[in-house]
Each structure stands twice: as structure tokens, then as C-alpha cells.
Amino acid sequence: QAIILVHWLLTVWGCMNNMFPASYPWGNFSVLAVGIWAIVQRDSLDAIMMFLTGLLLTVLTDIIHISVFYPSRGYLTDARRFSIGMAIFSLLLKPVSCYFVYQMYRERGGE
């Protein structure tokens, strides 16, 4: 639950400045919705595996979004700096989250 809350907050802060296209919030929030499904259905291996796969895919898409849409020096305001900082922080936390989600997958009987 803490993983969902932290990534939700960082994604909201990352989307504050409309710097990223709509695919950034759609991708991240849909993976978080699958994470909520994984929390609700504690006996489902499919839900936790889809959440883990989604987190891994958003690592790749976040790298692409940040690298392609990083503003040039003249357009980097404080609000954009904060927004992109939160997106980068979320990206850096995702491998740690993947590790914990994988541990939950193993606890539920996954191989």
C-alpha cells in the first residue's frame, strides 16, 4: 500500500506542470490501478505479476519520457524543475518497488 501511495504522489507531482504528454500519467496511473487490484485480491498471482510487469515497463517509458521531453535550459522554471525532479525520483524508486513487489509475488506462491 505504501508503494502505491508513494508512486501516486510522485506521479501527481511529476504531472503538475503539463510538461509530459498524456501517455506519462496514463501509463503510470493505470499501473497503479493494477497495483490496487493486486492489493484487493491477495490470493491472485496474476494481479501481482501484472503489477510487477507494469512497473518494469514504466521504468522504460519513464526513461523515454524524461529524456525526450526534458526542457531546454531557457525553459526550465522552478515548477518544471520540481516536476521533473519528482518524475526522476519516482523513476529511481521503481526498481526498489519492483524488488518489494517481487517479494510479495514469492510470498503468494510464485516461482
Side-chain angles (χ1 to χ4, degrees):
Q1 293 171 349
I3 293 170
I4 302 289
L5 180 65
V6 167
H7 283 291
W8 177 82
L9 185 62
L10 291 174
T11 302
V12 167
W13 284 344
C15 296
M16 273 186 349
N17 208 339
N18 293 327
M19 185 171 45
F20 295 122
S23 58
Y24 178 78
W26 272 104
N28 282 293
F29 287 131
S30 61
V31 167
L32 294 177
V34 172
I36 292 170
W37 174 43
I39 289 172
V40 170
Q41 289 191 341
R42 294 197 179 270
D43 57 341
S44 174
L45 282 176
D46 290 337
I48 197 77
M49 191 55 157
M50 285 180 64
F51 182 45
L52 180 60
T53 305
L55 277 175
L56 290 171
L57 285 174
T58 57
V59 168
L60 177 66
T61 60
D62 286 358
I63 290 170
I64 293 169
H65 280 110
I66 291 169
S67 62
V68 170
F69 294 100
Y70 194 85
S72 62
R73 186 171 210 169
Y75 296 104
L76 194 59
T77 62
D78 289 339
R80 285 187 175 193
R81 187 175 291 121
F82 176 78
S83 181
I84 205 144
M86 294 301 106
I88 291 170
F89 188 50
S90 176
L91 174 62
L92 292 174
L93 281 179
K94 282 186 182 178
V96 176
S97 299
C98 288
Y99 173 76
F100 287 122
V101 171
Y102 180 71
Q103 292 300 322
M104 286 187 276
Y105 172 73
R106 298 279 308 236
E107 288 173 5
R108 292 183 185 189
E111 297 180 7

